[in-house]
Amino acid sequence: MSIVIKDCGIIGRDGEWDVTIKDGKIDEIGKSLHGKESLNGKGKYLSPGFVNTHTHAAMTLLRGYADDLPLDRWLQEKIWPLESKLAAEDVYWGTKLACLEMIKSGTVAFNDMYFFMDSAAQAVEDMGMKATLCYGFLDMGDKDKLEKEKDTSLEFIQKAEDMDNINPALGPHAVYTVSEEGLKWCAGISKKKNIPIHIHLAETQKEVKEQEGVVRYLDTLDLLTRRTMAAHCVWLKDHEIELLGKRGVVVSHCPTSNMKLGVGKPMNYRAMRDAGVVTTLGTDGCASNNNLDMMEEGKVAAILHKMEGDTTLLPAEEAYGMMIKDSLNTGGGAVEEGKSADLILIKKGVPDHRPVSDIVYSLNGCSVTDTIVNGKVLMRDRYVEGEEEILQKASYHARKLVR
C-alpha cells in the first residue's frame, strides 16, 4: 500500500513537499502527490529516523534501580546479581518497552547486546523495528562457561539470520569479562560469517590500566575491523584512536551514560574526528542513562564537548548527522528517493530559523509525532498500537524481578 506524507518540511530543502512511500521505500518527492494512506506533515520536519548504536534494551526493567553508584559497585553489587535472575519473558517485555520508548522518540533501528536474545528478537519483530542484536558473551575466564557462550551465540545467530528486520552480531562484552580464547573465537566467527562485532572498549581508566595497550591487544586478535562497533572509547590515547580510524572501526559515543557513571572524562571527540573515525551515538541501557531519547543524547554530546572552550566543536549539524547515520546498514539514513522509508515527523520549533539546531538543542523525543519503519507507520499522532499492554506487562515484570 502506498503512503503519502503531505506538506512537510525536509531538512536541507526550502518549502513544503509531498513524499510518497511504496514497497517500503521512498518512491517520490514532489508536489501534489497522492497515496492510498496519508500522513499530515504540515508544521513538521520530515527526517530520517534515529539510529541508536549502543544499548541493552531490556534494561528498561532496571531503570532507576541502581542509580548514583560507582560503576564497579553498580555492576557487581546491583546489575549483575539482578541480571542473573532474568527470565526469557522478562527480556521480551523489557525489550518491548524499550522499542515503544524508541518508537515514540524517533528511533527506527538500534544495536543491542543482552541475554535471552531470542526473546529480544521476537519483541523487535513484533514492534516492527530494525535491530542488530547479539548475545552478551561473557566467559570470565571459565573454560566450561566459554563453551556455553559459544553455543548460545551460534544458536542465536542461526535463528536471527532467518529474520527480516534483525541482523545478528557477535557480542564479546569487554576485555575484562572475556578470555583471549573467547575474543579470538568471536573474531573468527565474525570474519567467517561476515557479521558485526559489538564490544565495550576503554569505558573506564581501570580497564585500560588492567589491560595495558588494550587497542593494540584487540588488533592482534583481529577484532578491530570495519565490522566492529566499539562502545564508549573514552580512555584512549591519540595513537590508539588513529588505529581505530585506520581499521575502520565504528565508535558509539554514549555521553550521558559516561557522565552518569562517572567514568572520569569525556571521549576525545576532536581526536576521533581528526583521525577519521566514524563516530555515532548510543544511549547505553536505561539503568545507566536513564532513557532512550536520541534527541536528548545529541544535545548532551554537542554541549559536553564545548566544555573544552571551543564552541565550534561538535556543532548541531555534526550531532544530527551522528543521530541519523545509517551505521547499522539498514538502507535508510536520508530522505532520498530509493532509500528505505525509515522516517520520522518532528513538530517544528517556533521560530524555526535553523531546523537542525532546533532538533539538537531545543526539541526532544516528545516532539516526534509519527514514526515509519520499512514503510509501515508504527506511530501516528503519538499513538503506538498496544502501548497500554506493554506498559502494564513491563511494569509487572520489573517489580517481579526486583522483588
Side-chain angles (χ1 to χ4, degrees):
M1 182 174 68
S2 62
I3 299 172
V4 62
I5 304 169
K6 300 289 293 183
D7 304 321
C8 60
I10 298 177
I11 308 298
R13 297 192 185 205
D14 294 328
E16 294 182 343
W17 298 87
D18 294 348
V19 176
T20 58
I21 297 168
K22 188 176 181 181
D23 298 328
K25 297 185 181 299
I26 299 172
D27 185 56
E28 187 177 359
I29 301 172
K31 305 286 187 178
S32 302
L33 304 180
H34 301 281
K36 292 183 178 179
E37 184 181 348
S38 179
L39 285 176
N40 181 15
K42 193 76 173 178
K44 302 173 185 177
Y45 309 121
L46 181 67
S47 169
F50 306 132
V51 178
N52 186 343
T53 58
H54 177 65
T55 190
H56 310 286
M59 291 183 88
T60 51
L61 300 183
L62 281 60
R63 190 192 332 254
Y65 168 71
D67 288 340
D68 306 320
L69 292 172
L71 191 147
D72 283 351
R73 285 186 57 201
W74 177 80
L75 269 178
Q76 296 172 16
E77 297 178 18
K78 291 289 188 176
I79 301 304
W80 284 346
L82 200 65
E83 287 179 334
S84 70
K85 304 177 189 302
L86 281 168
E89 195 174 7
D90 298 326
V91 171
Y92 176 78
W93 288 106
T95 305
K96 263 201 153 182
L97 178 61
C99 289
L100 174 63
E101 184 171 338
M102 286 190 272
I103 290 167
K104 297 203 76 164
S105 55
T107 292
V108 296
F110 64 101
N111 188 33
D112 195 65
M113 175 197 294
Y114 213 52
F115 313 109
F116 296 101
M117 295 311 286
D118 292 359
S119 298
Q122 188 60 58
V124 174
E125 291 239 306
D126 290 348
M127 295 299 288
M129 292 187 71
K130 295 180 175 180
T132 297
L133 304 180
C134 64
Y135 170 72
F137 188 112
L138 298 86
D139 65 35
M140 308 301 289
D142 184 305
K143 290 284 188 181
D144 292 335
K145 187 166 174 55
L146 171 61
E147 296 308 313
K148 291 178 182 177
E149 298 297 272
K150 290 179 182 179
D151 291 343
T152 304
S153 295
L154 287 176
E155 287 171 8
F156 173 69
I157 289 167
Q158 186 175 4
K159 291 178 182 178
E161 285 173 337
D162 296 327
M163 295 182 174
D164 291 336
N165 288 343
I166 307 294
N167 290 322
L170 271 300
H173 176 264
V175 294
Y176 58 89
T177 53
V178 183
S179 65
E180 183 170 311
E181 185 179 349
L183 292 170
K184 285 181 178 178
W185 181 86
C186 289
I189 296 297
S190 170
K191 184 176 182 179
K192 179 181 178 180
K193 290 184 170 289
N194 192 30
I195 60 176
I197 281 178
H198 185 181
I199 188 170
H200 298 81
L201 175 60
E203 183 176 5
T204 66
Q205 188 175 27
K206 180 182 178 182
E207 176 187 339
V208 298
K209 283 184 176 179
E210 290 179 351
Q211 179 62 64
E212 189 175 350
V214 60
V215 173
R216 180 63 64 186
Y217 170 65
L218 291 177
D219 192 43
T220 64
L221 303 180
D222 201 24
L223 270 164
L224 301 182
T225 74
R226 294 185 184 280
R227 298 184 302 277
T228 304
M229 176 76 73
H232 303 299
C233 297
V234 174
W235 287 92
L236 296 179
K237 297 174 182 176
D238 286 351
H239 70 88
E240 294 174 315
I241 292 172
E242 289 171 6
L243 182 57
L244 294 184
K246 184 178 179 180
R247 295 289 185 259
V249 172
V250 178
V251 166
S252 180
H253 182 27
C254 306
T256 303
S257 176
N258 293 158
M259 287 191 289
K260 184 166 178 282
L261 291 176
V263 302
K265 72 183 188 73
M267 182 195 80
N268 190 341
Y269 174 74
R270 187 191 298 276
M272 292 282 180
R273 182 198 63 190
D274 293 348
V277 177
V278 176
T279 307
T280 63
L281 279 176
T283 60
D284 212 344
C286 280
S288 65
N289 186 299
N290 293 22
N291 65 45
L292 303 170
D293 186 343
M294 285 290 289
M295 292 176 77
E296 178 180 286
E297 203 68 33
K299 177 176 182 175
V300 170
I303 291 175
L304 169 65
H305 293 286
K306 290 172 176 57
M307 285 291 289
E308 288 186 23
D310 181 357
T311 57
T312 68
L313 188 60
L314 191 45
E317 288 77 12
E318 288 181 26
Y320 175 67
M322 292 163 68
M323 293 156 62
I324 66 170
K325 185 173 181 58
D326 184 24
S327 45
L328 303 182
N329 299 315
T330 61
V335 182
E336 297 175 1
E337 293 171 0
K339 286 285 188 179
S340 182
D342 302 327
L343 304 166
I344 57 177
L345 284 167
I346 306 170
K347 191 174 181 180
K348 288 183 178 181
V350 179
D352 60 339
H353 298 304
R354 294 182 63 220
V356 169
S357 287
D358 286 347
I359 289 171
V360 172
Y361 292 124
S362 65
L363 303 177
N364 58 42
C366 293
S367 304
V368 178
T369 61
D370 304 83
T371 300
I372 302 166
V373 178
N374 261 353
K376 182 180 179 181
V377 181
L378 303 185
M379 178 171 73
R380 182 189 291 268
D381 294 328
R382 297 289 304 158
Y383 178 72
V384 179
E385 185 176 354
E387 62 180 285
E388 295 86 358
E389 180 189 22
I390 295 170
L391 295 173
Q392 181 184 35
K393 291 287 183 66
S395 181
Y396 165 77
H397 282 274
R399 290 195 301 269
K400 177 175 68 70
L401 184 64
V402 172
R403 192 164 61 238

